[in-house]
């Protein structure tokens, strides 16, 4: 029997595909002490099965699929990159059903829906989760469309969870998402807690809120409201009109890293900090190695922040999309740095972004504010140059067992995946 300690209470974890099982796997992932425990996070036989599926489908298959049912949203948050997609874009129920069927057959374990606001299609989401009981689902949601009726559906389905987005406390959240938003979502959290849903919170941190959202007071508040885990995303200046002034500088990014890690160690609370935990994920997880994104127009992208694609799911199967020349080329360059505290080609190694995208057929998936990889790299190169010495220092400060966490075997894992797909 599996258990997690949540706010001092020992919570029983049902078997996959229960939504609490995904939280448990995340906890185990960030508590990994050696290669064996890393490779068995998803079960003892997951790795050989994954190699078999890679050989069978002649491409790597991600653990997790992020897919956007719609680009529509009931809020108008300042600076949201989802606004760069066409507002009426959506994937039909039939296409979503088809993709999920193919994805599970290929070996995908978890599906996260974002947007836009995925609960703009609440009925379709419920029906898909009910039909695909062999998958774990979650939603990145602003939370304002969750009511008691929907929470009862979460209890009934068991394989659906929610990650509620905030910007910090009331002032930070309402200033970007609209007056009253914070109080609404806190009330929703209390409702989810009452029904014992293992929900999480999601935060985009930037220059104006990084201290608040990484503070003990905010993280304590989230746990007290009932959150089981947190997702932290550093602000990326995606799109030609993006506000560069919101980007955290190197010292601010390092501040968040230290605060989040200290909190995790103290409370054993899982926080997924995409920018600063590349050393725990063996670098970038995008392009299908562990993660792939399909936007509401059907464009298949390496991740939700890398808005470039060469294929569309409306024209092909899920497995065919994973075999896209762009995704294959993207994977061949990983890891992008020997220092895995610099995992991201968008903001850490911008010249790598140029290399992986310089091929026929790759295009920007922005509708209103497209930018070339060269233009994006020009914006992020100064940030990368200032982060590099800070990241190198942080890397040197790590204990040897953390610094060399998986050694040569992780390189063999990457090499093995790439070689199998060539056979």
């Amino acid at each position: 029997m599996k258990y997690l300690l949540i706010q001092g209470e020992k919570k029983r974890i049902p078997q996959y595909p229960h939504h609490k099982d995904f939280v448990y796997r995340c906890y185990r992932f960030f508590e990994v002490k050696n290669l064996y425990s890393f490779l068995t996070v998803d079960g003892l036989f997951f790795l050989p099965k994954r190699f078999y599926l890679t050989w069978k489908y002649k491409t790597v298959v991600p653990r997790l699929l992020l897919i956007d049912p719609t680009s529509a949203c009931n809020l108008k948050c300042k600076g949201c990159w989802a606004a760069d997609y066409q507002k009426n874009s959506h994937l039909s129920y039939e296409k979503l059903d088809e993709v999920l069927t193919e994805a599970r057959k290929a070996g995908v374990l978890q599906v996260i829906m974002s947007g836009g606001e995925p609960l703009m299609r609440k009925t379709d989401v419920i029906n898909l989760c009910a039909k695909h009981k062999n998958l774990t689902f979650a939603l990145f949601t602003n939370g304002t469309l969750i009511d008691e009726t929907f929470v009862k559906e979460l209890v009934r389905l068991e394989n659906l969870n929610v990650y509620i987005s905030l910007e910090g406390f009331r002032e930070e959240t309402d200033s970007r998402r609209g007056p009253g938003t914070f109080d609404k979502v806190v009330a929703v959290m209390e409702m989810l807690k009452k029904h014992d849903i293992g929900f999480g919170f999601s935060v985009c941190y930037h220059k104006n809120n990084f201290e608040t959202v990484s503070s003990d007071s905010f993280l304590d508040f989230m746990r007290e409201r009932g959150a089981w885990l947190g997702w932290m995303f550093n602000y990326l200046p995606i799109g030609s009109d993006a506000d560069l002034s919101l980007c955290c500088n190197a010292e601010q990014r390092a501040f968040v890293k230290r605060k989040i890690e200290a909190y995790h160690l103290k409370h054993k609370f899982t926080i997924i900090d995409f920018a600063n935990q590349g050393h725990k994920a063996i670098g970038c997880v995008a392009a299908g190695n562990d993660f792939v994104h399909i936007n509401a127009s059907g464009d298949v992208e390496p991740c939700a922040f890398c808005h470039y694609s060469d294929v569309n799911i409306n024209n092909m199967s899920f497995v065919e999309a994973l075999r896209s020349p762009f995704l294959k080329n993207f994977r061949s360059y990983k890891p992008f740095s020997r220092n895995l505290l610099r995992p991201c080609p968008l903001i850490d190694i911008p010249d790598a972004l140029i290399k992986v995208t310089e091929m026929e057929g790759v295009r920007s998936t922005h509708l209103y504010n497209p930018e070339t990889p060269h233009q994006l790299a020009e914006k992020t190169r100064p940030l990368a140059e200032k982060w590099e010495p800070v990241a190198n220092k942080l890397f040197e400060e790590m204990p040897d067992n953390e610094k060399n966490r998986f050694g040569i075997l992780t390189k063999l894992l990457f090499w093995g995946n790439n070689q199998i797909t060539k056979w």
Side-chain angles (χ1 to χ4, degrees):
M1 193 66 69
K2 299 178 293 186
Y3 294 92
L4 271 181
L5 197 65
I6 304 295
Q7 280 292 91
E9 183 179 353
K10 197 174 183 181
K11 298 281 190 177
R12 185 180 69 85
I13 307 299
Q15 294 299 312
Y16 174 90
H18 198 281
H19 73 269
K20 292 178 182 176
D21 180 72
F22 177 67
V23 181
Y24 178 80
R25 291 174 192 234
C26 290
Y27 170 79
R28 280 203 59 207
F29 182 91
F30 289 100
E31 285 291 300
V32 160
K33 304 298 182 185
N34 53 51
L35 182 64
Y36 174 79
S37 59
F38 172 78
L39 296 178
T40 57
V41 166
D42 292 308
L44 184 60
F45 299 107
F46 176 76
L47 184 62
K49 182 179 179 181
R50 191 175 189 194
F51 275 127
Y52 167 73
L53 292 171
T54 299
W55 171 81
K56 178 180 178 180
Y57 293 109
K58 301 300 184 286
T59 186
V60 295
V61 177
R63 284 184 173 93
L64 192 151
L65 167 63
L66 177 64
I67 191 166
D68 303 344
T70 181
S71 60
C73 187
N74 61 314
L75 298 183
K76 296 181 180 179
C77 303
K78 298 174 184 176
C80 176
W81 54 259
D84 289 316
Y85 294 129
Q86 193 170 346
K87 284 298 182 185
N88 60 356
S89 294
H90 77 281
L91 294 170
S92 70
Y93 178 88
E94 293 73 22
K95 175 54 68 172
L96 289 165
D97 182 29
E98 175 188 310
V99 170
L100 295 176
T101 300
E102 294 173 351
R104 186 65 188 97
K105 182 179 178 181
V108 169
L109 297 174
Q110 289 92 26
V111 176
I112 297 181
M113 296 183 182
S114 59
E117 170 51 55
L119 287 180
M120 295 289 282
R121 297 182 64 184
K122 190 181 292 186
T123 300
D124 284 344
V125 168
I126 291 170
N127 289 340
L128 287 166
C129 294
K131 182 174 181 179
H132 297 273
K133 294 292 288 184
N134 58 350
L135 281 165
T136 299
F137 291 86
L139 310 173
F140 280 118
T141 172
N142 60 47
T144 60
L145 298 179
I146 296 175
D147 55 19
E148 186 74 35
T149 300
F150 183 71
V151 173
K152 289 179 180 177
E153 289 290 347
L154 296 180
V155 174
R156 178 181 70 86
L157 290 166
E158 295 189 330
N159 66 333
L160 175 60
N161 201 2
V162 293
Y163 307 132
I164 298 176
S165 300
L166 304 96
E167 309 295 325
F169 288 115
R170 182 178 292 104
E171 180 181 353
E172 294 91 350
T173 298
D174 287 1
S175 66
R176 187 180 181 206
R177 296 176 177 264
T181 303
F182 179 80
D183 290 336
K184 286 181 183 177
V185 298
V186 169
V188 166
M189 289 180 176
E190 297 284 5
M191 194 188 313
L192 293 165
K193 180 181 180 180
K194 183 180 71 174
H195 289 275
D196 197 30
I197 302 297
F199 74 93
F201 69 90
S202 171
V203 165
C204 174
Y205 63 88
H206 47 76
K207 185 185 70 175
N208 297 334
N209 73 345
F210 75 97
E211 288 182 291
T212 296
V213 299
S214 62
S215 68
D216 285 7
S217 59
F218 176 76
L219 297 175
D220 285 347
F221 183 82
M222 289 294 98
R223 290 172 60 230
E224 289 162 3
R225 301 286 79 72
W228 282 39
L229 81 164
W231 296 78
M232 307 284 281
F233 303 94
N234 62 319
Y235 173 81
L236 298 175
I238 306 300
S240 59
D241 66 338
D243 186 354
L244 271 170
S245 70
L246 288 176
C247 295
C248 287
N249 61 34
E251 290 71 27
Q252 291 165 344
R253 180 171 165 180
F255 176 90
V256 173
K257 178 183 183 298
R258 290 189 175 102
K259 289 285 290 182
I260 293 303
E261 289 184 348
Y263 195 90
H264 171 73
L265 287 173
K266 182 178 180 180
H267 298 285
K268 303 302 180 187
F269 182 69
T270 301
I271 303 174
I272 302 168
D273 180 1
F274 266 61
N276 293 323
Q277 291 178 335
H279 60 301
K280 294 190 174 184
I282 319 180
C284 170
V285 296
N289 280 115
D290 279 302
F291 185 95
V292 75
H293 178 237
I294 302 175
N295 70 29
S297 296
D299 299 310
V300 182
E301 304 168 332
C303 81
F305 304 104
C306 188
H307 294 177
Y308 301 97
S309 179
D310 65 340
V311 294
N312 190 286
I313 200 66
N314 289 306
N315 306 320
M316 61 188 64
S317 71
F318 177 70
V319 169
E320 287 172 331
L322 292 177
R323 294 177 185 148
S324 100
F326 173 44
L327 294 185
K328 185 175 181 180
N329 190 48
F330 194 106
R331 292 190 293 263
S332 71
Y333 278 91
K334 295 198 289 184
F336 295 106
S337 171
R338 297 180 70 177
N339 180 351
L340 297 182
L341 295 179
R342 299 170 60 220
C344 179
L346 296 175
I347 201 166
D348 296 326
I349 318 286
D351 290 327
L353 175 67
I354 294 173
K355 288 180 182 178
V356 301
T357 54
E358 280 190 332
M359 55 188 302
E360 186 177 353
V362 177
R363 58 182 176 80
S364 171
T365 54
H366 275 62
L367 179 67
Y368 300 114
N369 299 291
E371 62 185 346
T372 68
H374 284 273
Q375 290 171 326
L376 178 55
E378 282 300 309
K379 290 193 302 187
T380 60
R381 191 173 289 113
L383 295 169
E385 290 173 350
K386 291 179 180 178
W387 173 246
E388 181 175 4
V390 175
N392 289 342
K393 182 180 179 182
L394 289 169
F395 184 75
E396 289 304 317
E397 291 174 356
M398 285 184 186
D400 287 341
N401 64 330
E402 183 78 4
K403 189 187 307 180
N404 304 313
R405 202 171 183 220
F406 309 127
I408 189 66
L409 291 177
T410 57
K411 297 176 184 177
L412 289 174
L413 185 64
F414 272 109
W415 178 86
N417 271 335
N418 288 329
Q419 291 304 308
I420 289 172
T421 59
K422 295 176 182 177
W423 294 347

